[in-house]
Amino acid sequence: MNQHSDHELISTIVEHLNVGIFAIDENMQVIAWNNFMAAHSGQLPQDVIGQDLFSCFPELPEKWLRKKIQSVFVLKSFAFISWEQRAHLFRFKHNRQLTRELEYMAQDVTLMPIQNNTGKVVGVSFCLQDATDTCIYQNQLEMTKERLERASQTDGLTGLNNRRHWEQRLREEFGRAIRTKSAFTLILLDLDNFKEINDKYGHLAGDEVLRFVATIIKNCLREYDVCGRYGGEEFGIFLPNSSLSAATIVAERIRIAIQNQPCQYNLKIIPVTASFGLASATGRIVDHEKLISHADIALYRSKEQGRNKYTIFGQW
Amino acid sequence: MNIATQLNDEQQDCLKEVINVAMGQAGSNLATLLNVFIQLSVPKISMISASELSENMISLIGTAEQVTITRQGFYSDSDTQGLTGEVFVLFTDNSFTATAELLNYESVLDSKSLEELVLDVSNLLTCACMGGIAEQLDTQIAYTPPSIVTLNSRITSVVEPEQIRWEEAMIMEVTYTLEDREFQCNLLFMLPSDTINFVKEFLNNFMDSL
C-alpha cells in the first residue's frame, strides 16, 4: 500500500466525498472544485478553475449571493443557505423517486472563510450537501399531517364534516354574522323512520341511505353553505348571509330530492323522506346554541305534523 | 446558582472592557458590509438559570405584537475547550424592508424569503459579535446554522427549559439599532458554565499580564 501523507489522504477524501466542495477567491474566481461538483454540474475542474463563478453558472442569484460571500470576507464568519427557505442553489438533478414538487436536488450550503497565516480572509469555501431525502420526508410529513387533520374533521361514512368540526365552524360563522349584523339561517334535518329502514333492509342499507342523503345535500348547497353530520340520522346546515326565504328554497330542494330520487340498495329501491326544522338568527339571539335549539323545536314540529315537510321556528 | 461560576467584580469589569472592544469591531465590520451606521448598546451582563430564560425574553418583548426569535449555536474550533454556547436574536414589531434592501433581497418578500432574510440577519449579527469576542479572547469558533424559534407571532411562552441544554449561563444582552432605518433587535448570548470557566481563565491571564 502506498504511503500517503496526511495531506494527500485528506485531499483524496475531499476529492471523492459525497458532498460538494468548492472554493473561490476574492475575485469570485473558482480555485477548487471537487468530484461531486464536477459530476453534478457537468463541468470539470479544468472548465471552471480560474473562471468567474457566475459566468460558469448564470442560474445563480448573483446579486444576493455576492452579498452573502462578501459577509464572509468582511466578518470572517460562516454563512448558511438552507433548502427549507431556498429550494436549491445549483440546479443539480437528484436521483430519488420522481416527484412533481422536487425537480432539483435540495441543498444545504455552508460558506466558510479561508484565512492565510496573518488571519486575512483570502477565499471562501463552500460545502454543499444533498438534502433531498430530508426534503422528501418533510413533504410526506406535511401531507400526512394535513390528512390527519382532515380526517379528524370528517365523518367517515358520509364524508361530511363531523359534528365537532361542524359545530366549531358554526360557532365561528355565527360570531361573524353577529359582528357584521348579517343574516344567518340554520337547517336541521332528520331522516324519517330510519329505524324501520334499518330493521327492514338491514344496517348496510341504512348506511347507503345516509350516503345517499349526504350526496343530495352537498349537491343542493351553494358555495358558502356548510353542512355536517349532526347525529346518527340527523344533518345540520348553516347558511351565512342567507335570509329565511333563501334557506327555505334550499330546504325544499333537498326535501324533494330525497323524496323523489331513487335510493337503491341490492336491487331494491328504498323510500326515503326527511323532516326539516329552520331557524333564523334575529337580533335577539346571541349564541349559536339557541339557534340550534330553535331549529330543533321546529324539526320536532315537522315530525309531529306528519313528517316529510319543513317547519320554520315561530311560524305555526 | 453555582457561586463558583460567577465572576467577581474585577473580572466583570475586565469582561465588559473586552466585550466593548469586540462590539466596536463588530459594529465597524457590519458598517463596512452594509454601508450603514450601526449602533450597539453597552452589553448588560448577568447570570441566569435555564428556567429564567423565558421570563427574560418576555420582559424584553414587552407588549410587542409581532415577535420573531431565532437561535444559533457556536462551538470551539480549537483543540482546547473554548467558547461554546448559543445566541438568541429577538425582533419585535420590526419592519424588515430596510434590511432586505441592505442584503440585496427583493423588495417584496414571500414567506420563504422572509424566513431566509431573518436567518441571514441573525447570522450576520451573531457572527459579527461572537467573531469579535472570539478574536479578543484569542480563540477560534465555528457556527451551527441558525433556526427560527418563532416568526411574526404573538408570544405566549417562549423557550421552555426542556429545550435548553445548560442549567445556568451567563447572559449578555446587546441591542442593535440601524440608524435612520427603524430597525432594532436584541441579542442574548448564552455562555454555559464550561465556557464561563474558560472566559474566567482568559480574564485572569489578561489581567495578570497588564
Side-chain angles (χ1 to χ4, degrees):
Chain A
M1 173 166 145
N2 285 335
Q3 289 289 97
H4 285 287
S5 74
D6 194 39
H7 270 135
E8 277 175 36
L9 188 53
I10 295 276
S11 201
T12 311
I13 293 171
V14 168
E15 181 52 41
H16 295 286
L17 204 52
N18 194 24
V19 165
I21 307 249
F22 68 98
I24 57 172
D25 65 15
E26 57 225 338
N27 299 315
M28 307 287 159
Q29 298 200 337
V30 180
I31 52 178
W33 193 251
N34 84 338
N35 195 55
F36 181 100
M37 295 303 293
H40 282 94
S41 68
Q43 302 212 40
L44 300 172
Q46 52 258 42
D47 300 328
V48 297
I49 290 189
Q51 304 298 320
D52 176 77
L53 176 69
F54 298 104
S55 310
C56 297
F57 296 95
E59 83 238 29
L60 295 173
E62 182 170 350
K63 224 175 134 205
W64 171 81
L65 188 54
R66 268 184 190 272
K67 198 71 190 174
K68 237 179 158 70
I69 292 169
Q70 192 196 0
S71 76
V72 176
F73 276 105
V74 172
L75 303 178
K76 301 185 190 176
S77 64
F78 286 29
F80 300 93
I81 303 171
S82 164
W83 68 269
E84 284 193 87
Q85 282 80 40
R86 182 172 290 262
H88 58 262
L89 189 62
F90 286 88
R91 267 185 228 147
F92 290 169
K93 290 231 172 341
H94 65 80
N95 56 10
R96 305 298 187 281
Q97 71 248 37
L98 294 172
T99 69
R100 227 188 2 232
E101 304 92 13
L102 202 57
E103 212 185 331
Y104 297 107
M105 178 199 290
Q107 296 157 356
D108 276 332
V109 186
T110 307
L111 288 73
M112 290 159 289
I114 301 173
Q115 293 173 296
N116 64 14
N117 39 25
T118 65
K120 176 166 182 266
V121 180
V122 295
V124 173
S125 69
F126 291 72
C127 174
L128 185 146
Q129 288 169 288
D130 186 344
T132 305
D133 279 333
T134 311
C135 183
I136 289 176
Y137 294 147
Q138 182 86 314
N139 287 341
Q140 286 175 346
L141 182 63
E142 291 302 314
M143 273 176 13
T144 306
K145 275 161 66 176
E146 264 168 57
R147 271 205 302 271
L148 265 176
E149 188 170 349
R150 271 199 307 271
S152 76
Q153 296 168 348
T154 309
D155 169 63
L157 179 65
T158 59
L160 300 181
N161 291 313
N162 60 22
R163 176 175 176 143
R164 190 178 54 83
H165 185 64
W166 181 79
E167 276 209 62
Q168 187 187 309
R169 298 243 8 233
L170 171 61
R171 201 179 313 127
E172 287 162 9
E173 289 299 322
F174 187 75
R176 191 168 302 148
I178 297 283
R179 282 196 305 275
T180 58
K181 296 187 170 44
S182 41
F184 194 91
T185 330
L186 185 73
I187 302 173
L188 283 182
L189 66 115
D190 187 288
L191 298 187
D192 298 328
N193 305 315
F194 189 66
K195 187 177 177 309
E196 281 80 357
I197 291 177
N198 272 330
D199 290 343
K200 183 169 177 186
Y201 299 95
H203 285 271
L204 291 178
D207 286 351
E208 185 51 42
V209 168
L210 289 168
R211 277 192 288 261
F212 161 81
V213 170
T215 305
I216 288 177
I217 294 174
K218 274 189 290 195
N219 290 338
C220 292
L221 295 186
R222 306 152 310 165
E223 196 185 340
Y224 295 106
D225 306 331
V226 180
C227 65
R229 187 173 173 191
Y230 193 67
E233 65 250 38
E234 199 174 353
F235 298 85
I237 304 165
F238 64 84
L239 305 93
N241 288 317
S242 290
S243 62
L244 252 182
S245 51
T248 307
I249 292 172
V250 173
E252 264 298 277
R253 190 182 301 146
I254 297 172
R255 187 190 68 76
I256 289 168
I258 291 174
Q259 173 191 276
N260 291 345
Q261 282 182 28
C263 176
Q264 187 164 8
Y265 185 77
N266 267 353
L267 303 175
K268 294 202 184 77
I269 305 282
I270 305 173
V272 189
T273 62
S275 302
F276 293 68
L278 277 73
S280 188
T282 66
R284 276 166 297 155
I285 298 182
V286 290
D287 73 72
H288 69 283
E289 274 142 7
K290 197 74 181 174
L291 190 65
I292 294 179
S293 165
H294 283 188
D296 205 36
I297 291 168
L299 170 60
Y300 188 69
R301 186 159 170 90
S302 290
K303 294 283 189 188
E304 274 193 314
Q305 298 291 311
R307 298 183 164 80
N308 192 16
K309 54 159 49 82
Y310 72 86
T311 305
I312 296 173
F313 180 81
Q315 291 183 19
W316 52 74
Chain B
M1 196 72 65
N2 187 355
I3 300 288
T5 49
Q6 290 195 42
L7 281 88
N8 61 35
D9 288 343
E10 214 188 337
Q11 288 165 333
Q12 278 211 33
D13 285 341
C14 185
L15 179 62
K16 283 188 181 141
E17 278 307 307
V18 168
I19 302 290
N20 276 331
V21 175
M23 291 300 145
Q25 187 61 51
S28 165
N29 286 338
L30 284 168
T32 303
L33 179 66
L34 303 176
N35 273 321
V36 279
F37 181 68
I38 308 260
Q39 180 129 17
L40 301 164
S41 71
V42 172
K44 214 176 88 178
I45 302 175
S46 53
M47 291 294 298
I48 62 162
S49 61
S51 54
E52 290 171 314
L53 178 61
S54 207
E55 214 177 281
N56 219 288
M57 286 193 187
I58 288 175
S59 70
L60 272 176
I61 289 164
T63 52
E65 289 282 315
Q66 301 262 52
V67 182
T68 298
I69 302 180
T70 62
R71 113 192 248 188
Q72 181 168 17
F74 56 89
Y75 55 95
S76 173
D77 198 25
S78 60
D79 43 3
T80 57
Q81 175 87 48
L83 286 176
T84 297
E86 58 180 337
V87 183
F88 290 90
V89 185
L90 272 70
F91 306 85
T92 48
D93 286 344
N94 271 309
S95 150
F96 285 99
T97 331
T99 43
E101 203 192 335
L102 293 175
L103 293 174
N104 287 345
Y105 279 73
E106 302 297 321
S107 43
V108 180
L109 298 171
D110 61 27
S111 63
K112 288 297 172 191
S113 301
L114 177 63
E115 279 179 29
E116 200 173 37
L117 174 62
V118 166
L119 290 170
D120 261 343
V121 173
S122 302
N123 185 58
L124 282 182
L125 296 176
T126 300
C127 291
C129 285
M130 280 319 299
I133 294 172
E135 196 171 321
Q136 291 305 308
L137 266 49
D138 203 19
T139 183
Q140 309 279 89
I141 53 174
Y143 304 87
T144 59
S147 62
I148 294 181
V149 174
T150 176
L151 182 69
N152 274 346
S153 50
R154 294 216 62 189
I155 279 293
T156 43
S157 80
V158 213
V159 187
E160 302 301 330
E162 309 84 66
Q163 298 172 301
I164 301 178
R165 292 176 53 167
W166 38 265
E167 272 181 31
E168 59 183 20
M170 179 159 67
I171 173 174
M172 289 186 330
E173 270 174 46
V174 176
T175 308
Y176 267 90
T177 317
L178 256 187
E179 211 68 314
D180 294 341
R181 303 261 187 160
E182 294 180 6
F183 180 85
Q184 192 181 78
C185 62
N186 293 298
L187 273 80
L188 299 177
F189 295 86
M190 309 287 156
L191 306 179
S193 336
D194 286 344
T195 303
I196 298 173
N197 288 330
F198 169 81
V199 171
K200 254 206 230 171
E201 212 182 291
F202 171 85
L203 292 172
N204 288 337
N205 293 337
F206 181 72
M207 288 190 290
D208 284 344
S209 68
L210 291 175

